[in-house]
């Protein structure tokens, strides 16, 4: 059986893009795999976080994951900083990865921009910690969004160089798992921008704890064009807002663009938006309710995370102990 590992940053209550692009796939993979899911609070520190908010954002992300259907009893859910094995292995990987490899990471270049001299050194070695997250469990399947593909290639380079330099086959190859029709959910206000927590307009996104009225209003106000819906996917060409709404509908209804357009093609957006809002509300209301139930009991969330961390450490500690032995560290 393949071991699955994935991580998500503690950005508070997630938005629809996180749900359709990541969390829903995590839930689906629980069937038939051993899954380890991690709220990566150490990765969050690579850019400054308000210490008053980081812990509550970590709890909010954990609550949302539980509410979406992550089964923390059959599988494992924890926060990264609670399992020191990640950082121990990351240090070894800092010494295996090459400057040139990290210099090529497009996410670093995007995030650092022109301010390279002034970003944290943690941001630069971010992918080494990500490789350690996965390889501390010798996990082989990693569900991520397309934007993380390059980081997984780097993780494989690190694993290979480690194996080569220490004449071992200790670390396995990792395969990305990139799933779903709505791999990219776009902003409700601008169909060319990704839906994101960092967009200043709350109207641009659906948050997983939005009330039904808020969802209906955001969809009613979502940007569209004046033409009716086309009869087939080719007709969505050059209509990013229409394509986005049809994509969201397809993802939630478990069909594809063609399937949605067979049913709704020719309709105006008024009627389609009503159907979409209804679908969103029926999907998200139970999740929102369950998230609030968890958030009313922060002690219960902490208990889940504590138990997850203990079980995660049981797997990771012996693996990282062995990696330390392989590089020659004395384990007296
Ligand atoms: P982030 O919070 O941006 O680091 O994203 C966490 C996870 O959600 C990653 O796996 C992303 O690929 C996914 N994700 C974030 N925003 C979107 C979006 N608008 N559409 C699809 N997936 C997304
Ligand atoms: N870098 C990932 C993201 O931004 C989050 C992450 C951290 C992760 N460690 C991981 C994803 C390990 C998969 C496996 O989405």
């Amino acid at each position: 059986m393949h071991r699955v590992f994935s991580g998500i940053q503690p950005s508070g209550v997630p938005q629809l893009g996180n749900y359709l692009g990541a969390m829903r796939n995590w839930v689906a993979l629980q069937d038939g795999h051993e899954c380890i899911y991690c709220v990566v609070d150490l990765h969050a520190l690579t850019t400054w976080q308000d210490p008053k908010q980081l812990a509550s954002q970590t709890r909010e992300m954990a609550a949302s994951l539980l509410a979406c259907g992550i089964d923390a009893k059959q599988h494992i859910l924890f926060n990264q900083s609670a399992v020191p094995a990640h950082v121990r292995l990351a240090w070894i990987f800092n010494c295996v990865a090459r400057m040139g490899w990290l210099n090529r990471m497009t996410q670093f270049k995007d995030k650092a921009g022109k301010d390279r001299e002034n970003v944290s050194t943690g941001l630069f070695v971010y992918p080494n910690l990500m490789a350690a997250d996965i390889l501390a469990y010798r996990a082989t399947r990693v569900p991520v969004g397309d934007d993380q593909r390059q980081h997984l290639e780097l993780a494989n380079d690190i694993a290979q160089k480690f194996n080569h330099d220490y004449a071992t086959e200790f670390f396995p190859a990792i395969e990305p798992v990139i799933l779903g029709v709505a791999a990219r959910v776009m902003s409700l206000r601008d169909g060319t921008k990704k839906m994101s927590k960092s967009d200043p307009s709350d109207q641009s996104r659906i948050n997983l704890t939005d009330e039904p009225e808020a969802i209906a209003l955001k969809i009613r106000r979502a940007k569209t064009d004046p033409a009716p819906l086309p009869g087939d996917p080719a007709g969505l060409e050059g209509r990013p807002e229409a394509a986005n709404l049809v994509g969201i509908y397809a993802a939630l209804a478990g069909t594809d663009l063609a399937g949605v357009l067979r049913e709704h093609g020719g309709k105006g957006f008024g009627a389609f938006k009503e159907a979409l809002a209804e679908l969103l509300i029926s999907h998200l209301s139970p999740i929102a309710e369950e998230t609030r139930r968890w958030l009313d009991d922060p002690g219960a969330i902490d208990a889940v995370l504590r138990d997850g961390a203990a079980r995660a450490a049981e797997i990771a500690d012996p693996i990282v102990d062995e990696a330390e032995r392989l590089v020659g560290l004395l384990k007296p």
Side-chain angles (χ1 to χ4, degrees):
M1 188 159 62
H2 283 287
R3 183 175 280 159
V4 168
F5 184 97
S6 197
I8 191 162
Q9 292 212 28
S11 49
V13 171
Q15 38 86 11
L16 183 67
N18 301 128
Y19 175 64
L20 292 178
M23 301 161 77
R24 206 170 64 141
N25 299 329
W26 291 17
V27 172
L29 283 167
Q30 293 181 131
D31 210 3
H33 298 89
E34 175 196 5
C35 298
I36 304 172
Y37 295 132
C38 182
V39 182
V40 292
D41 49 4
L42 295 172
H43 275 112
L45 289 180
T46 58
T47 56
W48 188 80
Q49 303 292 321
D50 184 341
K52 288 197 281 298
Q53 281 178 19
L54 183 56
S56 55
Q57 298 203 155
T58 302
R59 276 196 201 100
E60 281 166 15
M61 180 55 78
S64 294
L65 286 164
L66 291 163
C68 286
I70 296 298
D71 180 347
K73 291 208 173 76
Q74 290 297 317
H75 301 274
I76 294 180
L77 177 67
F78 70 107
N79 60 311
Q80 191 181 28
S81 61
V83 180
H86 293 237
V87 177
R88 290 164 56 206
L89 188 59
W91 178 257
I92 293 177
F93 287 173
N94 285 343
C95 303
V96 170
R98 306 287 93 181
M99 291 289 286
W101 301 356
L102 291 168
N103 267 323
R104 284 194 285 276
M105 292 297 111
T106 54
Q107 183 172 304
F108 176 74
K109 287 192 248 183
D110 287 350
K111 283 201 177 172
K114 291 197 182 69
D115 206 21
R116 272 181 91 121
E117 293 294 309
N118 210 19
V119 294
S120 74
T121 50
L123 190 68
F124 188 65
V125 296
Y126 177 114
N128 297 345
L129 177 59
M130 179 165 164
D133 292 340
I134 302 161
L135 291 166
Y137 302 88
R138 295 208 278 189
T140 49
R141 292 286 185 280
V142 181
V144 283
D146 196 48
D147 56 329
Q148 297 299 313
R149 206 186 273 277
Q150 195 186 30
H151 287 161
L152 295 187
E153 282 163 15
L154 184 92
N156 274 325
D157 290 343
I158 291 174
Q160 263 179 35
K161 184 163 165 57
F162 180 99
N163 288 349
H164 174 269
D165 289 0
Y166 298 104
T168 170
E169 300 197 346
F170 190 62
F171 288 118
I174 301 165
E175 258 182 53
V177 182
I178 295 171
L179 295 168
V181 271
R184 267 174 92 85
V185 177
M186 310 308 283
S187 158
L188 299 177
R189 308 260 81 203
D190 175 352
T192 63
K193 270 182 21 201
K194 244 173 64 161
M195 183 179 287
S196 162
K197 183 100 187 166
S198 54
D199 194 310
S201 164
D202 192 59
Q203 297 297 313
S204 71
R205 64 180 159 264
I206 306 279
N207 306 299
L208 288 200
T209 47
D210 279 349
E211 302 283 351
E213 305 76 56
I215 295 176
L217 194 64
K218 285 176 179 178
I219 293 298
R220 220 176 301 133
R221 288 194 183 149
K223 185 176 168 196
T224 43
D225 53 47
L229 282 169
D232 59 56
L236 292 170
E237 196 80 34
R239 301 176 65 187
E241 284 84 14
N244 187 38
L245 296 185
V246 174
I248 294 171
Y249 193 105
L252 292 169
T255 175
D256 55 11
L257 299 177
V260 179
L261 294 173
R262 258 196 305 280
E263 197 183 330
H264 295 278
K267 278 188 197 161
F269 275 101
F272 179 67
K273 282 176 163 181
E274 221 166 280
L276 175 59
E278 228 168 81
L279 190 60
L280 274 164
I281 290 165
S282 70
H283 248 80
L284 299 186
S285 291
I287 297 177
E289 210 174 292
E290 188 65 15
T291 304
R292 277 188 225 104
R293 237 198 318 271
W294 278 105
L295 288 174
D296 281 344
D297 190 356
I301 301 173
D302 290 4
V304 167
L305 294 176
R306 231 180 354 256
D307 170 66
R311 288 187 292 131
E314 258 172 52
I315 303 172
D317 287 349
I319 292 175
V320 176
D321 284 349
E322 181 61 19
E324 288 183 342
R325 261 183 228 110
L326 283 166
V327 303
L329 296 176
L330 177 65
K331 316 277 304 163

